[in-house]
Amino acid sequence: TPKGSCLESVKIAIDTGYRHIDGAFVYYNEHEVGQAIREKIAEGKIKREDIFYCGKLWNTCHPPELVRPTLEKTLKILQLDYVDLYIIELPMAFKPGDAIYPKDENGKIIYHETDLCATWEAMEACKDAGLAKSIGVSNFNRRQLEMILNKPGLKYKPVSNQVECHPYFTQPKLLEFCRQHNIVIVGYSPLGTSRDETWVNVSSPPLLKDPVLNAIGKKYNKTAAQVALRFSIQRGVVVIPKSFNPQRIRENFQIFDFFLTEKEMKEIEALNKNIRYVELLM
Ligand code: A2P
């Protein structure tokens, strides 16, 4: 993102009423997020405990001895004492080192063998040390979640699993599994992504152009984006819409003053195509 745009957007978001901020070291803007939070605290607009900041452990940092130092690096960049949630960003590990995407001479990602359960134990230690109030995972499938849940001597369950989730990819089975285990689903790309071809499968049609979402929106004087977000929160999925546009940041917050009927929820559920925008081919 252009320098400063994240700082501005987070400040506008906090003023609008947003409190949950989804970040990551690999977004390279944690310093701006931290600055925005600190400025808003200094202004007296919020207190630290009003904010829910989620940070992420990147793939090159899975070896257990790297977990705490990596979180400490994020805290130093943010200039905060703790994160509210720290999550394993992806269930696969890359070779540790400075390269975020370590590649061999053929351009192939260099993976790294680690034990996810050992990584999880290091995450538990971060919680015990007070550096993360809660710990969770991201992009985990059922099998990977079960591996953690069934780990001998498990101290803390993952509180959440952040995965792609929206009307075209509704995740019914994973949602049910997580419900049974009290794991909150946090839905990323709730608006169908920015359709950036470098990481998005753009052969799947744009979510916000969907006729059903637009027709339902018309009835409530809402946009397709607002209907998509409302659908997710109404089925218990946390949403983390991304926008760096002040008007859309505000628009995406105006979703608490209308209610979709059961019939509309079913109609939107039926839009599921079971196709991911974010294929994570690596
Ligand atoms: P922008 O940052 O210019 O607002 P997702 O949250 O699914 O990843 O989607 C993010 C994309 O959707 C971004 O390209 C963002 O662009 C765009 N976007 C965010 N809010 C809205 C909205 N209310 N209507 C249309 N597009 C939106």
Side-chain angles (χ1 to χ4, degrees), residues 31-90:
H31 57 293
E32 293 189 23
V33 176
Q35 191 185 336
I37 295 171
R38 282 180 283 107
E39 281 183 26
K40 285 295 157 191
I41 292 172
E43 272 177 31
K45 176 87 195 171
I46 46 160
K47 297 197 194 75
R48 170 64 187 91
E49 57 268 32
D50 296 328
I51 290 293
F52 186 89
Y53 184 80
C54 168
K56 305 194 185 90
L57 182 79
W58 181 242
N59 309 4
T60 52
C61 310
H62 279 204
E65 67 277 12
L66 296 183
V67 173
R68 181 170 174 162
T70 305
L71 173 53
E72 284 170 337
K73 192 161 124 192
T74 268
L75 291 172
K76 202 166 162 213
I77 295 170
L78 288 163
Q79 295 184 42
L80 296 177
D81 303 327
Y82 65 89
V83 293
D84 299 273
L85 175 64
Y86 200 52
I87 63 180
I88 301 177
E89 189 158 352
L90 284 150

Side-chain angles (χ1 to χ4, degrees), residues 166 188-195 199 207-208 223 225-226 229 240-245 247-249 251-252:
H166 49 73
Y188 69 68
S189 304
L191 302 172
T193 78
S194 56
R195 301 187 66 79
W199 56 276
L207 177 69
L208 300 184
T223 62
Q226 290 168 320
L229 296 175
I240 43 172
K242 173 263 164 189
S243 180
F244 285 133
N245 170 287
Q247 193 195 322
R248 289 192 284 277
I249 290 172
E251 178 184 323
N252 296 341

Side-chain angles (χ1 to χ4, degrees), residues 167 170 231 235 264-273:
T170 54
F231 165 75
R235 64 201 286 264
E264 288 161 345
M265 288 297 288
K266 290 240 151 59
E267 264 171 43
I268 301 173
E269 258 164 49
L271 300 176
N272 185 25
K273 295 179 191 295

